[in-house]
Amino acid sequence: MKLLYVDIARTMWAFDPQLLNTGGFSTQELFKKLDERYSFAKSPKHPLDLNEKGTLAFQLGKFVNSAKTPLDVTFTIYNNGFSAETSSSTNDATEFLHDLAAWMTKEFGFVIPPKDNLQSAYFSQINVQLDTALSAVNSKLQSITKLLNANVKALDGNPRLFDTGALIFWTQDVGQPLAPSAFRLERKWGAPFSSNQYFSQAPLETQQHLDLVGELEKLLKS
């Protein structure tokens, strides 16, 4: 397996943001200082400047991680917590949140809940190249592929080649608030089948996600 690139690497912390600022410090001043520290390209101007999703989104900021690598980062405030998103790894997103938390405590006296009182979750989207096709998951599926290839009539009259397109796992409460996202591995749209390029998403840290796809690839090869 080869990682082509990371689309999204998101870390989420769930807690009551109201507990951060029990002293009533001006949040407008906080927003101004956030812009200065992380140079966000687009950010809310005040606490009521919500986007269409009802959140406060600070977009395309710059964060230099512990490896001294400058990274693009997006920071979002929800009514039940924070999230940070990079296109490198969830480790970087988590590091940003810790940097932010330490700075908010030092600069404004805000109190971030201790680790034991934080609920953490992750979401990642990656693009990979596998050494084998997803159709290898079960040879019995080939009979369905053959039927589709033989019987589907396209409007332009040209024949089409079908193959197994996706493998998806989800929880029983899929689609409900707070449910983890589905794990999915699917052929990358527009890429030729021969390229074996796949898109995948999972409610996991980036490295765990890569490990999971790697295990799946081993099963496909076996």
Side-chain angles (χ1 to χ4, degrees):
M1 179 187 69
K2 176 183 178 182
L3 174 64
L4 299 177
Y5 56 88
V6 175
D7 276 326
I8 294 174
R10 182 185 301 148
T11 298
M12 297 162 279
W13 284 356
F15 62 94
D16 183 358
Q18 298 276 14
L19 297 176
L20 293 175
N21 186 19
T22 56
F25 186 87
S26 169
T27 49
Q28 293 196 62
E29 182 66 15
L30 168 65
F31 284 18
K32 176 183 175 182
K33 296 290 186 180
L34 269 172
D35 270 343
E36 292 175 0
R37 180 171 177 81
Y38 298 110
S39 303
F40 291 104
K42 185 177 181 181
S43 60
K45 302 306 178 186
H46 52 76
L48 301 181
D49 191 11
L50 304 175
N51 63 14
E52 67 279 0
K53 295 180 181 179
T55 65
L56 294 163
F58 298 78
Q59 298 174 293
L60 200 63
K62 186 178 79 171
F63 170 62
V64 180
N65 66 8
S66 56
K68 307 302 180 185
T69 303
L71 303 168
D72 290 335
V73 64
T74 291
F75 169 59
T76 305
I77 302 175
Y78 303 87
N79 61 7
N80 62 345
F82 292 164
S83 78
E85 184 178 303
T86 71
S87 58
S88 55
S89 75
T90 50
N91 284 346
D92 287 325
T94 300
E95 188 178 340
F96 168 82
L97 287 178
H98 282 295
D99 181 83
L100 173 73
W103 172 75
M104 290 174 68
T105 299
K106 180 180 179 181
E107 188 80 10
F108 306 108
F110 285 9
V111 180
I112 303 293
K115 186 177 180 180
D116 292 344
N117 293 336
L118 276 175
Q119 296 293 326
S120 298
Y122 305 93
F123 176 78
S124 64
Q125 292 183 340
I126 59 177
N127 287 264
V128 297
Q129 185 175 39
L130 302 185
D131 295 332
T132 188
L134 188 57
S135 55
V137 70
N138 192 330
S139 59
K140 295 178 181 179
L141 295 176
Q142 296 300 317
S143 61
I144 302 300
T145 301
K146 290 177 181 177
L147 285 171
L148 287 167
N149 289 338
N151 294 296
V152 169
K153 303 291 191 296
L155 287 174
D156 60 9
N158 295 322
R160 295 295 196 278
L161 179 64
F162 282 83
D163 200 355
T164 305
L167 187 63
I168 307 175
F169 298 81
W170 57 48
T171 59
Q172 186 169 273
D173 61 339
V174 62
Q176 299 300 312
L178 304 183
S181 64
F183 166 61
R184 59 195 307 136
L185 179 71
E186 59 189 50
R187 283 192 174 276
K188 186 173 175 62
W189 284 33
F193 288 168
S194 60
S195 72
N196 275 338
Q197 291 185 38
Y198 290 86
F199 164 85
S200 182
Q201 75 169 33
L204 295 170
E205 296 182 69
T206 307
Q207 188 57 55
Q208 291 176 326
H209 190 177
L210 288 167
D211 291 344
L212 179 61
V213 175
E215 283 299 311
L216 181 55
E217 184 181 44
K218 290 179 184 178
L219 291 174
L220 295 175
K221 290 179 176 180
S222 64

